[in-house]
Amino acid sequence: MLAAPVDAVPKGPNLVHEPKWDGWRVIAFRETDRVYLQSRAGRNLTTYFPDITRTIRACIPAGVVLDGELIVWERGQTNFAQLQRRITAGRALVRLAREHPAHLVVFDLLADVGGQVIIDLPLAQRRARLRRLLAGAPAQLTLTPQTTDLAQVSEWLLHWTAAGIEGVVSKRTAGRYEPGRRGWSKFRTRIVTDAIIGGVTGTIACPESLLLGRFDRRGRLRYTGRTHPLTTDQAAKLAAVLSPPRLARHGVQAHPWPQPLPASWSGQFDRPEPLAYAQVEPAVVVEINADVAFEHQRWRHRVRYARPRPDMSIYDVPLLLGEGEDPSGTPGI
């Protein structure tokens, strides 16, 4: 079951709210002789998480099917990069699992002991069974918090984002579990900040999306992320203020980023192809709306373009800070 994005946390009776964790969604099948972990996209993740499969096999009866989020908890916050490392660890996987153990934060029960499918039961009943099932389970297998109190929701959104809470998922207590349907609601914590346009997909005359950057402490413009597709009106207005990179010595265009952008710069789980783009003179500042998934000095998800900032110099944009520091940053001097 999926969640539809909303612009505000829903209010009303018969609603419960849960933290939206920054990890990988997974369905865990406790079969008679094994455990099978399936990603949201249907990918088999079992071999990458021997620590989780061992824990489920030890304390969950056969037939049970769990829905939850895989996370790696490190120094008081989730570490998404450690999840990604599991896929490429190879022979180092056992050591990686020992040094950076994963956790499965469980939020739904699809089949109970003996394989009894319960997706047609109301969420409140599924939750009650899940609570009993996980009573006494080790910390690696934990029940996600749930509340009806909007004050608690505000606490999560204000103070838990640094720990790896991306937002809130809201569900109806009487709702059944409907695979593939967006019957839940998700509100992402977002920040309003600024960035510099370093390139565009499409053409300068007709940009399709923006490639954004920020200066690091050494004065280098570093790639930090990409916007969602622009509207026709947004594209037309930006085209009027964008220009190709200035010529350096010997008539060669000077630009700090490679062409095309390396596939590894996207930060996605399934690596895409290198991205061809049009380089622009990094002179235009824009306001963006981004979520809190910021790591390796880039926004992992696409950001929303809001408006140009002709009143701002590129040196007014927050500096790109070190790993783990606030991505809203401190304006450059």
Side-chain angles (χ1 to χ4, degrees):
M1 191 162 179
L2 305 175
V6 293
D7 293 327
V9 177
K11 300 178 181 179
N14 305 317
L15 284 174
V16 291
H17 312 281
E18 300 169 359
K20 185 183 185 307
W21 296 91
D22 184 20
W24 282 345
R25 179 81 176 273
V26 69
I27 303 291
F29 298 84
R30 172 59 165 103
E31 300 176 355
T32 303
D33 56 351
R34 67 167 187 160
V35 173
Y36 181 82
L37 303 179
Q38 178 180 293
S39 76
R40 174 178 161 179
R43 185 173 181 176
N44 182 358
L45 299 179
T46 309
T47 57
Y48 305 119
F49 293 92
D51 44 346
I52 294 297
T53 58
R54 183 168 54 248
T55 300
I56 292 176
R57 193 163 52 243
C59 63
I60 298 298
V64 167
V65 180
L66 305 169
D67 192 353
E69 195 89 2
L70 283 170
I71 64 171
V72 172
W73 191 257
E74 188 174 61
R75 290 195 290 271
Q77 62 184 47
T78 59
N79 188 327
F80 193 86
Q82 290 295 350
L83 285 175
Q84 294 177 308
R85 287 184 62 192
R86 293 291 184 104
I87 305 301
T88 57
R91 294 180 178 178
L93 178 62
V94 174
R95 176 182 57 79
L96 190 64
R98 181 177 64 253
E99 295 177 355
H100 305 280
H103 295 70
L104 180 59
V105 184
V106 186
F107 49 74
D108 217 324
L109 180 64
L110 313 188
D112 209 340
V113 179
Q116 179 191 6
V117 177
I118 61 171
I119 60 175
D120 288 332
L121 291 181
L123 172 62
Q125 293 185 31
R126 301 198 308 273
R127 172 82 178 190
R129 292 192 183 201
L130 182 59
R131 186 183 297 109
R132 290 194 296 269
L133 184 69
L134 296 181
Q140 274 192 287
L141 197 61
T142 187
L143 181 65
T144 196
Q146 189 181 86
T147 188
T148 59
D149 184 0
L150 290 178
Q152 178 64 65
V153 171
S154 296
E155 173 74 12
W156 292 341
L157 295 174
L158 289 173
H159 302 296
W160 285 33
T161 54
I165 300 300
E166 293 187 311
V168 171
V169 177
S170 302
K171 307 174 181 180
R172 298 198 174 276
T173 55
R176 60 186 294 269
Y177 190 99
E178 301 176 86
R181 180 175 177 269
R182 294 189 179 274
W184 300 331
S185 300
K186 61 180 177 183
F187 172 78
R188 284 186 181 272
T189 304
R190 307 193 73 87
I191 59 172
V192 175
T193 189
D194 303 295
I196 303 163
I197 303 176
V200 299
T201 59
T203 65
I204 295 178
C206 189
E208 297 171 359
S209 67
L210 307 178
L211 306 181
L212 305 173
R214 282 181 170 177
F215 289 112
D216 63 17
R217 297 187 192 276
R218 297 182 179 180
R220 299 172 300 179
L221 185 70
R222 304 282 292 276
Y223 174 77
T224 54
R226 181 179 177 184
T227 69
H228 289 286
L230 302 171
T231 66
T232 302
D233 183 61
Q234 288 173 337
K237 290 179 178 178
L238 284 168
V241 298
L242 297 176
S243 59
R246 295 173 185 170
L247 297 180
R249 292 181 180 179
H250 310 296
V252 178
Q253 286 187 336
H255 196 279
W257 301 343
Q259 174 68 278
L261 285 184
S264 60
W265 284 22
S266 73
Q268 298 298 310
F269 174 55
D270 293 315
R271 179 173 293 183
E273 295 296 319
L275 179 66
Y277 70 106
Q279 296 177 337
V280 305
E281 178 65 20
V284 177
V285 178
V286 292
E287 183 180 288
I288 59 171
N289 191 292
D291 64 28
V292 295
F294 185 86
E295 61 184 19
H296 299 317
Q297 300 183 322
R298 299 186 188 112
W299 281 286
R300 196 167 69 245
H301 306 133
R302 293 198 187 192
V303 304
R304 298 175 186 171
Y305 165 72
R307 60 182 177 130
R309 292 297 307 268
D311 57 314
M312 289 184 65
S313 160
I314 58 174
Y315 302 107
D316 293 328
V317 173
L319 289 176
L320 188 61
L321 303 176
E323 203 70 33
E325 296 185 78
D326 184 355
S328 61
T330 301
I333 299 174

